[in-house]
Amino acid sequence: MSGAETVQHTDHDGGQPPGIDELLERVRAGYARIEAREAYDVWRSGEALLVDIRYAALRERDGLIPGALVVERNELEWRLDPRGSHRLPEATGHDLRIVVVCNEGYASSLAAESLHRLGLHRATDLIGGFQAWRAAGLPVTTGTA
């Protein structure tokens, strides 16, 4: 293959690659997503780790979920891989239940799927993201992390 040739990735049917909406639908079909109130309950009971992947500007603008672990999206896999050399102390094993929180529940779906690829089979994401958390009247503090 010469340098000028490109490789086009297609879906399993040999058609065009999926668009983002189709990709999200496929990814989300692979695990059970979680609503804000349930996320709060499993976090409060110690059954799950809440991981906020929003970037700093959104955290500054909208606030934080008190007690949530802040790991920006570009570091997520490095910090939560239980076998990784850059893991956080909270990354205790592959059975860890993780609820990924982004701003509105889109990037978190892709992030949860990526964690599944690392063997974190209980990873999920918050439907509607931080905005749904706040709209449900769940705890939010101002500040940055």
Side-chain angles (χ1 to χ4, degrees):
M1 177 183 291
S2 74
E5 295 178 68
T6 61
V7 176
Q8 182 177 5
H9 296 279
T10 59
D11 65 16
H12 298 299
D13 298 328
Q16 292 297 311
I20 188 61
D21 293 330
E22 183 180 348
L23 180 61
L24 277 171
E25 186 178 316
R26 288 180 188 181
V27 163
R28 290 172 174 168
Y31 63 91
R33 300 180 76 211
I34 191 169
E35 297 278 352
R37 177 54 65 179
E38 184 182 357
Y40 177 75
D41 291 343
V42 296
W43 167 69
R44 285 290 306 248
S45 69
E47 297 174 41
L49 181 66
L50 281 182
V51 180
D52 186 343
I53 63 168
R54 294 174 302 142
Y55 52 89
L58 288 176
R59 296 192 310 268
E60 290 170 15
R61 182 188 78 189
D62 294 336
L64 301 166
I65 298 171
L69 184 63
V70 174
V71 180
E72 291 202 25
R73 177 63 189 97
N74 64 325
E75 296 182 353
L76 186 69
E77 293 82 359
W78 299 103
R79 301 296 186 214
L80 294 181
D81 178 3
R83 296 179 4 180
S85 59
H86 297 287
R87 73 182 171 276
L88 293 170
E90 293 86 353
T92 57
H94 287 93
D95 285 334
L96 181 63
R97 187 170 184 190
I98 299 168
V99 179
V100 182
V101 180
C102 69
N103 193 48
E104 294 181 341
Y106 296 99
S108 58
S109 295
L110 299 176
E113 193 267 343
S114 183
L115 293 177
H116 277 249
R117 290 184 188 188
L118 288 175
L120 293 157
H121 61 96
R122 297 181 70 205
T124 187
D125 75 312
L126 177 60
I127 297 169
F130 178 85
Q131 299 305 324
W133 178 278
R134 185 171 60 183
L138 297 170
V140 174
T141 61
T142 57
T144 60

